[in-house]
Amino acid sequence: MASELTKSSRHSWVRKLQRSPLSTDFYSRDTLSVARDLLGKILIVDTKCLTVSRIVEVEAYSGDDPASHSSRGMTPRCAPMFEVPGRAYVYFIYGMYEMLNFVTEPKGQPGAVLIRAVEPLVGLEGVGKLRTNGPGKLTRALGVEMSHNREPLQGPRFWVADDGFRPPEIAASGRIGIREATERQWRFFVPDHPCVSREPRRKN
DNA sequence: CAGAAGATCATCT
DNA sequence: GATGATCTTCTGT
């Protein structure tokens, strides 16, 4: 783990991860598989400053999910979901929050995974763990903005890499709210992880 | 062009 | 559990 390393070995650990980001093929698969496999992976973001964190909670948005932006075809906003996999899809919502997603599925087929919570490792010392859970708080902490829409996840600003760590356990939430109609599970997280947000309440 | 909804969050009761 | 902040996107007319 990063906190156990000395400053210089931690630096080379980060550099090594930047040199071997996950390939486009990793993202060019069905969205649920990509979402599940993203848990435990390392996210490096170089915007205002360099941050390194571990992904601990995600949410899958397949093309035919009624809750997905892509469920009613391509629009200017959700166009990135139809484009090259392995890129960022960033959008603005509720007048104040940017959401960070990774584009999935082969080109032409829509899909994305929302990054909901990360565990801070490097460069987020001044930010409490509670500021990196929740998709809106997370982008604030990492400095992700609309201008990062369509940035590749293989650098020079975003990298997602595998450091060999495997979460001991992975859980999927039940069906919630509007998406109860979709008959599938979509949110994945590391159970009992301190950075994972509370499971949302079910409507009704 | 108007109106509504929204992949959220902090705050209040 | 409810509400307000704050604004973009999409839909319907």
Side-chain angles (χ1 to χ4, degrees), chain A residues 54-128:
Chain A
R54 190 181 302 281
I55 298 169
V56 295
E57 183 181 351
V58 298
E59 192 156 324
Y61 286 92
S62 301
D64 54 346
D65 184 341
S68 172
H69 291 166
S70 64
S71 64
R72 272 170 289 191
M74 188 162 68
T75 64
R77 176 177 65 166
C78 74
M81 292 183 71
F82 291 76
E83 297 170 7
V84 218
R87 294 201 170 183
Y89 167 43
V90 184
Y91 66 88
F92 190 65
I93 196 169
Y94 296 126
M96 43 179 84
Y97 296 112
E98 288 87 19
M99 301 277 120
L100 173 62
N101 302 254
F102 298 162
V103 177
T104 60
E105 309 274 348
K107 187 178 179 183
Q109 195 172 337
V113 175
L114 172 68
I115 308 303
R116 297 193 55 91
V118 299
E119 174 187 347
L121 296 178
V122 181
L124 290 160
E125 288 80 9
V127 178

Side-chain angles (χ1 to χ4, degrees), chain A residues 3-154:
Chain A
S3 54
E4 300 161 358
L5 305 173
T6 67
K7 204 167 186 177
S8 66
S9 68
R10 188 170 65 188
H11 183 71
S12 64
W13 175 73
V14 174
R15 291 287 300 274
K16 182 180 175 185
L17 292 172
Q18 286 179 298
R19 268 184 266 114
S20 55
L22 296 175
S23 70
T24 302
D25 287 343
F26 175 88
Y27 303 94
S28 186
R29 299 180 294 147
D30 77 274
T31 306
L32 289 179
S33 298
V34 177
R36 171 173 277 265
D37 290 348
L38 276 171
L39 286 182
K41 297 294 188 288
I42 299 292
L43 170 63
I44 302 175
V45 179
D46 191 3
T47 50
K48 292 183 177 179
C49 57
L50 188 77
T51 66
V52 183
S53 51
R54 190 181 302 281
I55 298 169
V56 295
E57 183 181 351
V58 298
E59 192 156 324
Y61 286 92
S62 301
D64 54 346
D65 184 341
S68 172
H69 291 166
S70 64
S71 64
R72 272 170 289 191
M74 188 162 68
T75 64
R77 176 177 65 166
C78 74
M81 292 183 71
F82 291 76
E83 297 170 7
V84 218
R87 294 201 170 183
Y89 167 43
V90 184
Y91 66 88
F92 190 65
I93 196 169
Y94 296 126
M96 43 179 84
Y97 296 112
E98 288 87 19
M99 301 277 120
L100 173 62
N101 302 254
F102 298 162
V103 177
T104 60
E105 309 274 348
K107 187 178 179 183
Q109 195 172 337
V113 175
L114 172 68
I115 308 303
R116 297 193 55 91
V118 299
E119 174 187 347
L121 296 178
V122 181
L124 290 160
E125 288 80 9
V127 178
K129 291 187 170 185
L130 296 179
R131 296 231 164 246
T132 53
N133 69 4
K137 293 189 284 181
L138 178 149
T139 52
R140 289 270 170 84
L142 302 184
V144 175
E145 300 174 348
M146 280 305 295
S147 62
H148 301 127
N149 198 13
R150 294 181 219 243
E151 282 273 340
L153 303 176
Q154 292 93 17

Side-chain angles (χ1 to χ4, degrees), chain A residues 127-191:
Chain A
V127 178
K129 291 187 170 185
L130 296 179
R131 296 231 164 246
T132 53
N133 69 4
K137 293 189 284 181
L138 178 149
T139 52
R140 289 270 170 84
L142 302 184
V144 175
E145 300 174 348
M146 280 305 295
S147 62
H148 301 127
N149 198 13
R150 294 181 219 243
E151 282 273 340
L153 303 176
Q154 292 93 17
R157 249 182 282 283
F158 293 85
W159 296 260
V160 181
D162 188 350
D163 72 338
F165 175 82
R166 285 285 172 283
E169 200 186 340
I170 293 175
S173 71
R175 298 184 288 278
I176 305 167
I178 175 181
R179 275 166 284 175
E180 286 182 2
T182 66
E183 296 289 336
R184 79 170 64 144
Q185 299 174 315
W186 61 90
R187 189 179 292 197
F188 298 98
F189 56 96
V190 178

